[in-house]
Amino acid sequence: MVDELLLNATIPVVIVRRARGLERPLPAAFSRVIVPVTGTPSSRSAQEVAFAVAGQLGTEVVLTHVVNREVSSLPRLFNFRRDALAPVHSAGDAMMALAAGRAVDAGIEPRTLIREGPSAGEVLVESAAAESADLVVLGAQLRNVDGRPFIGHTVETVLERSDATVVVVAQPRLRTSH
């Protein structure tokens, strides 16, 4: 039934996975939320949900951008390629500035965090743990892969490995007429 709902959704679907080991209802308030910033429409939708939660509950918002990069190759190549990495960081800075501006417009004073790593999902899980976040809100684009809904490797990694409560704002796949 869930697969059918996700595959046929025409409006965004919000999926909530409670925190690991939580035997009671969801908490009345969350202390800190990690919100990935990717510049996509689904990321902006997730930010809106996180800002609404923060506005209602006083939750601290940590906007997080992950630069995907194979960390093991950085030490040897970093000095040689430092100038080549600048556009990646400036794009991340620009996305973060826009997201932070939207937060301020919503009455939220966010913190920002830019991290590097080979897997955005793993970096988000590590960031949530390091920041003691009890909530992660992320966006996803629903896709149909072999007749099953797919929300992306990053989202699946966070759902599988994070101990925090995870909220996914899943945008419906674009309908094309044939």
Side-chain angles (χ1 to χ4, degrees):
M1 180 172 91
V2 173
D3 284 359
E4 214 39 49
L5 174 70
L6 293 174
L7 287 174
N8 294 307
T10 57
I11 60 173
V13 177
V14 176
I15 304 163
V16 179
R17 203 242 33 232
R18 75 174 51 231
R20 298 211 190 288
L22 186 64
E23 302 300 326
R24 55 184 170 61
L26 290 176
F30 295 98
S31 61
R32 186 169 295 122
V33 58
I34 295 287
V35 188
V37 174
T38 64
T40 63
S42 60
S43 173
R44 286 190 295 280
S45 294
Q47 292 163 32
E48 289 175 19
V49 168
F51 300 160
V53 168
Q56 290 294 313
L57 304 177
T59 306
E60 180 185 13
V61 174
V62 182
L63 297 170
T64 307
H65 178 69
V66 179
V67 177
N68 285 97
R69 181 174 350 277
E70 193 61 45
V71 175
S72 62
S73 65
L74 277 179
R76 203 172 112 230
L77 299 175
F78 190 74
N79 288 336
F80 176 73
R81 298 192 56 201
R82 181 180 301 270
D83 58 334
L85 300 178
V88 171
H89 283 285
S90 63
D93 290 342
M95 281 186 276
M96 291 295 271
L98 286 171
R102 282 192 292 274
V104 169
D105 290 345
I108 308 298
E109 290 294 328
R111 282 195 304 120
T112 59
L113 180 64
I114 297 181
R115 301 265 321 265
E116 293 181 3
S119 162
E122 289 295 335
V123 170
L124 290 170
V125 170
E126 292 165 7
S127 296
E131 294 288 327
S132 300
D134 49 358
L135 180 63
V136 178
V137 179
L138 25 69
Q141 180 70 48
L142 285 169
R143 291 171 279 197
N144 181 339
V145 176
D146 293 332
R148 304 270 336 250
F150 178 67
I151 52 179
H153 294 294
T154 297
V155 174
E156 288 186 355
T157 297
V158 173
L159 284 168
E160 289 171 7
R161 299 189 180 151
S162 179
D163 290 335
T165 296
V166 178
V167 174
V168 179
V169 181
Q171 299 289 334
R173 60 192 174 105
L174 298 173
R175 304 272 184 212
T176 56
S177 55
H178 289 32

